[in-house]
Amino acid sequence: MVKIMTASNRHISNLLEMMRKFNELDSYPFNKKITSENLKKFLANPDLGRIWLIEKEKTIIGYLILTFCFSFEYKGTYAYIDEIYLEKEFQNQGIGTQAMKFAMREAKKLNIKMLYLEVEPHNKPAKSLYKKLGFRENKRSLMMRKP
């Protein structure tokens, strides 16, 4: 049975290891010190979002991070599913679907007006899952730069 629970400071070491693996998947840089500091800040301020741990048989097997933003267009808070990660041996068992549905229910309880997420172009299984859950591609271009 899968259990989803709110993360706390006592889970930082578990999160850091899984986040390292998550970043490694697409060769993104990972800085353990900065990520640890950011986790502490994030967990201390619920106005920034939520981190949930995914557990099976009392073992932490993944996590999901929901970050909050504000939009006048959406008339309130919207959120990004910033990261969702499952250990490889637990993928393709419906656990990701359960975690996403949980996050969607929680977002509704939190009065989130819109959910966003990003997916790597090569990650076709994840893209398929998100589409089945009702996510659609946005007609806008997402642009970014450092301040």
Side-chain angles (χ1 to χ4, degrees), residues 2-6 49-54 63-68 77-85 94-117 129-130 133 135:
V2 172
K3 179 180 172 188
I4 300 174
M5 60 186 177
T6 302
R50 303 289 186 274
I51 301 177
W52 294 293
L53 299 173
I54 305 163
Y63 67 93
L64 189 145
I65 301 175
L66 186 73
T67 60
F68 300 154
T77 305
Y78 71 98
Y80 257 93
I81 295 175
D82 190 48
E83 295 183 10
I84 178 170
Y85 173 82
I95 298 170
T97 301
Q98 288 178 54
M100 288 294 295
K101 286 181 176 179
F102 172 87
M104 292 161 60
R105 285 191 306 273
E106 290 298 307
K108 196 168 193 160
K109 289 179 194 174
L110 292 163
N111 200 28
I112 300 298
K113 306 298 183 189
M114 182 66 67
L115 279 174
Y116 276 87
L117 56 75
L129 166 64
Y130 302 146
L133 291 171
F135 287 85

Side-chain angles (χ1 to χ4, degrees), residues 53-88:
L53 299 173
I54 305 163
E55 189 180 83
K56 185 172 183 178
E57 297 170 11
K58 298 188 181 184
T59 301
I60 296 170
I61 62 167
Y63 67 93
L64 189 145
I65 301 175
L66 186 73
T67 60
F68 300 154
C69 308
F70 192 88
S71 169
F72 286 90
E73 178 183 353
Y74 295 125
K75 298 166 185 59
T77 305
Y78 71 98
Y80 257 93
I81 295 175
D82 190 48
E83 295 183 10
I84 178 170
Y85 173 82
L86 277 177
E87 296 285 1
K88 189 165 184 68

Side-chain angles (χ1 to χ4, degrees), residues 20-73:
R20 182 192 62 75
K21 292 178 189 177
F22 177 78
N23 282 271
E24 200 174 75
L25 290 171
D26 289 300
S27 302
Y28 288 131
F30 178 77
N31 183 309
K32 186 175 181 177
K33 183 177 186 284
I34 292 172
T35 305
S36 179
E37 290 168 7
N38 283 336
L39 280 168
K40 288 173 189 168
K41 286 179 197 173
F42 192 88
L43 291 168
N45 187 350
D47 290 339
L48 295 176
R50 303 289 186 274
I51 301 177
W52 294 293
L53 299 173
I54 305 163
E55 189 180 83
K56 185 172 183 178
E57 297 170 11
K58 298 188 181 184
T59 301
I60 296 170
I61 62 167
Y63 67 93
L64 189 145
I65 301 175
L66 186 73
T67 60
F68 300 154
C69 308
F70 192 88
S71 169
F72 286 90
E73 178 183 353

